[in-house]
């Protein structure tokens, strides 16, 4: 199950992760992105995205990839995930990643590419936050036994996707909890041409 989130969203100001003005990997996410990833009307609200406009927001030009998502493994700020990341993340010893196990200014997860499929639609996005609801769910994120998410909130969702991915995948609701997806990690060289490559996020932890 996937839900939708967006840069600038505030759905629970009293929750530790209730504001998308920041992300677990970027303390100034909204500023880095370029503003509200939607429309500013009594707060930052989401909006429908269309293929005709490349699934881009209508009232701003993003500075980072609007095709973003999160998965429930925060490899920087969650103590369990941080301790395990070099042993459970499959690419942790690859060139460009190896040797950073104790480097808290480096994330193995941020900017990684994910292929997401819903029905006959397939879209691609980059990880830019962690959640929903859980932050060291290694069995779901990296396991080989098709484990279900440990998260029980938000209809048991295993990821949040951006409005661009919501539109690209054809979700039934702009901000719902009823859309099911399949997903997998993919290396950058296996990401096909598409609107998700118009702007690629490269920044590390801020």
């Amino acid at each position: 199950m996937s839900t939708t989130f967006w840069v600038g969203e505030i759905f629970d100001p009293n929750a530790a992760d209730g504001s998308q003005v920041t992300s677990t990997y970027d303390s100034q996410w909204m500023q880095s992105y370029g503003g509200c990833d939607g429309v500013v009307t009594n707060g930052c609200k989401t909006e429908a995205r269309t293929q005709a406009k490349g699934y881009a927001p209508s009232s701003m030009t993003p500075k980072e990839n609007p095709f973003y998502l999160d998965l429930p493994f925060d490899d920087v700020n969650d103590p369990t995930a941080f301790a395990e990341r070099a042993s459970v993340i499959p690419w942790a010893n690859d060139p460009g990643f190896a040797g950073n196990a104790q480097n808290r200014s480096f994330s193995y997860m941020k900017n990684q590419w994910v292929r997401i499929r819903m029905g006959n639609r397939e879209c691609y996005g980059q990880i830019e936050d962690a959640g929903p609801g859980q932050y060291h769910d290694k069995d779901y994120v990296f396991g080989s036994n098709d484990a279900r998410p440990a998260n029980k909130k938000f209809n048991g969702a295993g990821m949040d996707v951006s409005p661009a991915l919501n539109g690209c995948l054809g979700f039934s609701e702009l901000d719902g909890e009823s859309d099911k997806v399949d997903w997998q990690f993919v290396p950058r060289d296996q990401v096909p041409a598409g609107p998700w490559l118009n702007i690629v996020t490269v920044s590390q932890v801020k």
Side-chain angles (χ1 to χ4, degrees):
M1 200 71 68
S2 175
T3 60
T4 303
F5 74 151
W6 56 95
V7 178
E9 175 192 17
I10 299 177
F11 67 88
D12 185 352
N14 298 314
D17 61 351
S19 169
Q20 309 308 328
V21 173
T22 65
S23 83
T24 196
Y25 305 122
D26 188 343
S27 62
Q28 298 182 332
W29 194 22
M30 188 170 174
Q31 180 178 332
S32 299
Y33 187 77
C36 166
D37 188 18
V39 291
V40 180
T41 52
N42 191 28
C44 176
K45 307 299 183 184
T46 191
E47 61 179 344
R49 303 294 173 85
T50 64
Q51 183 177 9
K53 295 186 177 181
Y55 304 104
S58 63
S59 58
M60 59 90 74
T61 300
K63 297 178 181 178
E64 296 185 337
N65 196 344
F67 290 80
Y68 54 84
L69 66 139
D70 67 14
L71 286 173
F73 195 86
D74 178 356
D75 75 314
V76 172
N77 294 301
D78 182 272
T80 301
F82 181 77
E84 296 177 337
R85 64 184 193 164
S87 60
V88 301
I89 296 177
W91 55 88
N93 293 313
D94 290 353
F97 296 93
N100 283 290
Q102 300 304 313
N103 181 2
R104 288 192 176 274
S105 65
F106 182 90
S107 170
Y108 294 91
M109 297 294 289
K110 187 179 190 302
N111 304 332
Q112 289 300 304
W113 286 94
V114 175
R115 174 191 293 142
I116 309 172
R117 183 181 63 198
M118 181 171 141
N120 62 356
R121 296 195 184 194
E122 187 173 273
C123 306
Y124 293 74
Q126 290 181 276
I127 297 170
E128 300 301 337
D129 201 2
Q134 297 286 323
Y135 303 96
H136 53 256
D137 191 0
K138 64 181 179 183
D139 292 336
Y140 168 65
V141 178
F142 307 111
S144 59
N145 296 320
D146 198 26
R148 299 296 84 195
N151 175 48
K152 302 305 178 188
K153 297 186 290 185
F154 319 117
N155 205 17
M159 70 165 55
D160 297 306
V161 301
S162 70
L165 281 166
N166 177 307
C168 182
L169 291 162
F171 274 19
S172 60
E173 299 175 89
L174 291 179
D175 187 17
E177 301 178 350
S178 61
D179 291 288
K180 293 183 177 181
V181 300
D182 295 310
W183 66 270
Q184 67 183 140
F185 294 113
V186 289
R188 170 63 182 83
D189 61 7
Q190 291 183 22
V191 177
W196 41 79
L197 290 179
N198 290 345
I199 307 170
V200 175
T201 304
V202 297
S203 60
Q204 256 297 332
V205 175
K206 298 181 182 178

